[in-house]
Amino acid sequence: MGSVTPKVSLLDTTLREGEQTPGVYFDVHIKVAIADLLNEIGLDIIEAGHPAVTDEIQHAVEEIAGRNLHARVGAHARSLKADVDLALECGVQFLGIFYCVAEERLTHHSKGLTQAVEQISQVISYAKALKPDLVVRYTPEDAVRSSFENVIFAASEAAHAGADVISIADTTGFMIPGTKHNLYDYVSRLKDELAKRSLSPRIAVHCHNDRGLALANALDGYRAGAEIIDASVMGLGERAGIVDLAILLAVLVNDFNARDDLRLNKLPELYHLVSKYSGLPIPVNFPVIGENAFTHCAGVHTQAALKNPLHYQSLDPSIVGRKSKIALDHMSGLSAVRYSLDQIGEENTDRAFALRILEKVKEVGQRGRTVDLTELKYIVRYLSEQS
Ligand code: COA
Ligand code: ZN
């Protein structure tokens, strides 16, 4: 892994891309709470919204930008001076400007490539002139399916005009690691081509999850030297969404040693907040954050995990401030029951008694329920009274 970038910046776009999930909208006070948590966790950039979408979104971006967060607060904008004006009125320190570069798409905007690139350059120069310390990102939309020459042309002109970041958008989740359409090669080639032109903007990757490969592609881009990775809470976003923030952070911290300054133990609180106000439940088997992410169930697993959790865990739950758990149901064995009896302080350690409890636990489990510790106490009392 010779080309791994030692430090990567993290951009959260729950408040912008996440709100492109049909039906999802966060009130201003909830947006502020989400931004504060993202800031506490240590995100570098918080994309707070696209102010041109509604007045209320513009107000929310302004509120978040005014909080003096450690994170850089950003807005999204089309390649239009009017969008830039609205964003800058909000006081953002980061601006993402997007415009497609595929000829077929541009014909729908009644534009040729040269004209589109001129517009992009002008809008970037305009933004930079208004606010010289603004970090500007240019995204050639659907970059990976557009002509590479067009992307290089637009990216180079954007960098000349002052863009600090070029974002490679896999807008449709098209890339697949290990095939000829892979983000590792794409980012490597892009960096080489820009370097040949003496340009070195930071490279960001924005990966959609249409094939379930958003995270794999983002890591591919990172290994090739991408310096910024976009993600959102629960991977919320257009269609199948984008890279999930918690999984990305856990892998970057645990497996790539990419950061040591993040407060990952705040992630569960963030996820529950976003889940509650998006109205979207966190699936129980969701990695890292889901209720069952560190729960052992089958008897064989539980028996071994009770001796050493690493037998059936490759990620330490304490990384996000969580603990391993044991679930009791029809898959349980005697070890799980004995462990749970100990948890509730049961003094009867008789094997025959534990076997009767196990039988009852399996009976309940077959009805599609797990036995929690409160129900276990009822079972213990009931069976004790029977004997
Ligand atoms: N740069 C400049 N103009 C762009 C553009 C870009 N990157 N992408 C699209 N446009 C233009 C289109 O050409 C079209 O303009 P036209 O109607 O003059 O041809 C317009 O933006 C989009 O069409 P439509 O949505 O019908 O226009 P609208 O004026 O009613 O609404 C928004 C525009 C942005 C307010 C509205 O689409 C919206 O709220 N969008 C949500 C945010 C969004 O779409 N984000 C995409 C993130 S990738
Ligand atoms: Zn997107």
Side-chain angles (χ1 to χ4, degrees), residues 102-344:
E103 268 98 357
E104 198 279 327
R105 277 289 297 279
L106 287 169
T107 55
H108 296 289
H109 292 260
S110 314
K111 287 217 166 65
L113 180 68
T114 315
Q115 219 185 343
V117 170
E118 244 166 54
Q119 183 178 331
I120 293 159
S121 302
Q122 277 170 13
V123 172
I124 293 170
S125 309
Y126 176 72
K128 278 289 201 181
L130 286 176
K131 192 172 162 99
D133 63 346
L134 183 73
V135 173
V136 173
R137 175 192 68 198
Y138 165 59
T139 303
E141 255 191 302
D142 203 4
V144 300
R145 291 193 310 166
S146 306
S147 135
F148 191 69
E149 287 65 39
N150 290 8
V151 172
I152 289 294
F153 174 45
S156 307
E157 291 303 307
H160 281 304
D164 308 275
V165 179
I166 300 296
S167 178
I168 295 311
D170 183 8
T171 306
T172 66
F174 169 71
M175 302 301 256
I176 304 179
T179 69
K180 63 180 178 166
H181 303 299
N182 74 80
L183 213 56
Y184 183 92
D185 289 348
Y186 195 99
V187 169
S188 307
R189 215 170 133 210
L190 180 81
K191 284 180 83 97
D192 286 351
E193 287 298 327
L194 290 169
K196 277 186 209 161
R197 292 159 176 80
S198 305
L199 295 168
S200 52
R202 283 194 287 162
I203 302 300
V205 285
H206 181 85
C207 300
H208 273 263
N209 206 27
D210 297 66
R211 286 172 169 74
L213 294 171
L215 175 64
N217 286 324
L219 293 174
D220 235 12
Y222 167 63
R223 289 192 311 112
E227 290 119 322
I228 302 176
I229 304 178
D230 292 8
S232 69
V233 175
M234 293 165 70
L236 292 180
E238 201 74 36
R239 304 182 313 282
I242 63 165
V243 173
D244 173 69
L245 180 70
I247 308 175
L248 172 72
L249 297 193
V251 171
L252 285 176
V253 169
N254 191 72
D255 305 305
F256 286 86
N257 287 323
R259 295 281 292 251
D260 59 7
D261 57 339
L262 301 174
R263 296 184 64 198
L264 302 190
N265 60 344
K266 287 270 164 195
L267 281 169
E269 186 183 344
L270 173 69
Y271 271 62
H272 289 111
L273 178 69
V274 170
S275 170
K276 181 168 178 187
Y277 291 98
S278 64
L280 299 172
I282 302 167
V284 288
N285 63 344
F286 199 87
V288 183
I289 301 292
E291 178 62 29
N292 294 345
F294 302 106
T295 301
H296 304 287
C297 186
V300 169
H301 287 219
T302 308
Q303 188 257 358
L306 284 171
K307 294 197 163 68
N308 179 357
L310 290 181
H311 287 146
Y312 282 100
Q313 265 172 211
S314 69
L315 202 56
D316 184 343
S318 69
I319 191 175
V320 287
R322 299 187 65 190
K323 291 196 166 104
S324 307
K325 285 200 299 189
I326 300 292
L328 292 177
D329 71 6
H330 61 290
M331 288 288 174
S332 298
L334 200 55
S335 313
V337 166
R338 288 195 132 150
Y339 171 80
S340 303
L341 288 173
D342 185 54
Q343 293 283 294
I344 60 169

